[in-house]
Amino acid sequence: MLARELGMRIKGLRENTGLSQEKFALKINMDRTYFATVESGKRNISLNNIEKIANGLGISISKLFEGIGDLPDEKY
């Protein structure tokens, strides 16, 4: 699932910054509970919020999506 892969990618990149979910969410002016659902893959995130997260991480949007969608599709 794309949302879950993106959430895992965002979480890993955020953890590399050393910031907690709360501090990172404050940094990018996003509600912490909303951000938590993004990281857990439970949220269909808007393009505006993707841009906020990428900017907060100091990376491009393309870098944020690097490696996402490369896994084989899961069978449901």
Side-chain angles (χ1 to χ4, degrees):
M1 173 187 255
L2 187 59
R4 186 172 59 225
E5 285 184 61
L6 179 60
M8 289 170 43
R9 173 88 170 132
I10 291 169
K11 182 178 181 178
L13 291 167
R14 175 193 52 82
E15 287 175 341
N16 287 342
T17 70
L19 293 175
S20 66
Q21 274 186 349
E22 183 175 12
K23 288 187 183 199
F24 186 77
L26 284 171
K27 176 182 176 178
I28 62 171
N29 197 29
M30 187 177 288
D31 181 75
R32 189 207 57 81
T33 56
Y34 175 89
F35 184 70
T37 61
V38 169
E39 279 195 351
S40 66
K42 296 177 181 171
R43 173 80 55 179
N44 237 346
I45 186 169
S46 73
L47 292 174
N48 289 335
N49 286 332
I50 288 170
E51 182 179 38
K52 277 185 178 182
I53 291 169
N55 290 341
L57 292 168
I59 61 174
S60 66
I61 292 172
S62 61
K63 183 77 172 173
L64 181 64
F65 279 89
E66 199 170 87
I68 295 187
D70 292 344
L71 300 175
D73 291 337
E74 294 180 28
K75 303 285 185 219
Y76 295 108

